[in-house]
Amino acid sequence: MARVPFEIGYKRALRLRCPLCGEGKLFSGFFRMNERCSHCDFKFEREPGYFLGSSYINYGWTSVSLTIAYILFHVVLDYPNSYVVPPLVGWFVLFPMFFHRYARAFWLTFDCYWDHTGLPNDPPDSGQSS
Ligand SMILES: [Zn+2]
């Protein structure tokens, strides 16, 4: 199978679409992920526990953004901790809930780019849409 170019794969992930064809939606609700692509029938959860890797992406983005915000507001702008910490705690709880769909999409795209095991040989419209 031809490898989907990295930039096209990540554009598809930002749109929460299938990394192989770019057409099928990854999610049918905010937390509900489709089992397969509606366009090319690619099974998104490639093995049991597959999306555990996406939690590392989600944790990384949350931690880095929290650290940057804390340094910016407390160290650079000199706001006291009593003003900075409560909103950042809210960020630490809410951001991963919002970002989990994108973390899964990025994980799936990353994994399909590097590991072709079990991928269909010729997905429809491969590399055509972004
Ligand atoms: Zn697809």
Side-chain angles (χ1 to χ4, degrees):
M1 169 189 165
R3 179 178 281 178
V4 175
F6 214 60
E7 63 278 2
I8 289 176
Y10 278 94
K11 283 180 186 175
R12 291 173 179 174
L14 284 172
R15 293 173 46 234
L16 299 175
R17 301 295 173 152
C18 172
L20 300 186
C21 69
E23 296 294 328
K25 292 182 178 179
L26 292 177
F27 289 87
S28 58
F30 194 77
F31 290 107
R32 185 183 186 122
M33 188 168 200
N34 293 323
E35 185 178 327
R36 293 182 174 275
C37 175
S38 62
H39 188 71
C40 70
D41 204 38
F42 172 58
K43 185 178 181 184
F44 296 137
E45 188 169 5
R46 299 177 71 187
E47 60 188 22
Y50 176 73
F51 286 107
L52 178 64
S54 72
S55 63
Y56 296 111
I57 294 173
N58 205 351
Y59 178 74
W61 274 75
T62 303
S63 300
V64 168
S65 63
L66 192 75
T67 303
I68 290 171
Y70 182 78
I71 290 171
L72 174 69
F73 288 110
H74 184 67
V75 176
V76 176
L77 299 175
D78 204 26
Y79 285 101
N81 272 336
S82 60
Y83 287 1
V84 173
V85 171
L88 290 183
V89 169
W91 176 262
F92 195 73
V93 172
L94 296 176
F95 179 77
M97 293 169 60
F98 162 77
F99 192 70
H100 89 279
R101 299 187 316 159
Y102 294 96
R104 283 188 172 207
F106 289 141
W107 173 252
L108 187 59
T109 299
F110 173 83
D111 189 56
C112 288
Y113 183 80
W114 293 107
D115 182 8
H116 292 186
T117 307
L119 295 182
N121 288 332
D122 191 20
D125 301 325
S126 178
Q128 298 280 321
S129 60
S130 54

